[in-house]
Amino acid sequence: PPPPRFFSVSLLPPSLQVLSASDSAIVVQISSSGAAATGSVDVFLANGASYSNLTFSFGPEGTILTVTPTQGRAGTLVTIEGLLLLSYGANVSVTVGGFTAAVLEANDTRVLVEITAGTGAVLDVSVVANTGGSVNSSAQFSYVPDGSIGSVDPPSGQAGTRVTI
């Protein structure tokens, strides 16, 4: 809970949630989007004092445009293309169907990952930045389970032998 001296924070039009507050820092999370804007950061204290000497720029949310290829199994390299994929951060983590994918490269318009695991279903893709911002897209990738060989017939042969697998 915030210290008794703390009252509220205003940060442009988007609504926000106070995650923590101390005498030296207040951590908030933007909880709804609004139009892109730049404005002041206002902190109001219970004693009536207020502070607003800094600005914050609120930008649009990112978008996933394509996921290529659209299906694969563990080890498949997948390219996610879009806009603002870093969500104003420096790096990202990616999940495909809730399974963590290995991020090989990332910038604001392209993220290259290696699929590490999955289930045989159409899966959502989520790119989460170190800022906490995320870009999500539903039903973008189908995980194909590894195949298996059920039998080899005949089990041995010589040159010219036809083998059914």
Side-chain angles (χ1 to χ4, degrees):
R5 295 181 300 277
F6 172 73
F7 181 66
S8 68
V9 175
S10 170
L11 184 71
L12 303 170
S15 64
L16 54 89
Q17 176 185 5
V18 176
L19 300 178
S20 65
S22 69
D23 287 341
S24 61
I26 300 169
V27 178
V28 299
Q29 182 174 23
I30 298 171
S31 55
S32 69
S33 60
T38 298
S40 66
V41 176
D42 301 317
V43 177
F44 303 95
L45 302 180
N47 66 6
S50 65
Y51 301 92
S52 61
N53 60 346
L54 297 175
T55 60
F56 180 82
S57 295
F58 179 79
E61 294 179 4
T63 304
I64 293 175
L65 299 173
T66 61
V67 176
T68 312
T70 58
Q71 65 178 13
R73 59 181 41 94
T76 301
L77 297 182
V78 174
T79 301
I80 303 163
E81 293 182 311
L83 303 170
L84 299 171
L85 295 175
L86 294 179
S87 297
Y88 306 93
N91 55 61
V92 295
S93 62
V94 175
T95 59
V96 178
F99 294 92
T100 300
V103 176
L104 305 175
E105 299 173 14
N107 63 46
D108 242 359
T109 59
R110 181 177 177 269
V111 177
L112 177 65
V113 299
E114 181 178 349
I115 300 299
T116 56
T119 60
V122 178
L123 306 172
D124 298 344
V125 175
S126 180
V127 179
V128 180
N130 62 311
T131 60
S134 65
V135 183
N136 304 294
S137 186
S138 61
Q140 288 287 314
F141 185 81
S142 296
Y143 185 83
V144 179
D146 290 336
S148 63
I149 297 174
S151 66
V152 177
D153 186 41
S156 60
Q158 60 185 26
T161 300
R162 293 181 188 207
V163 179
T164 302
I165 303 173

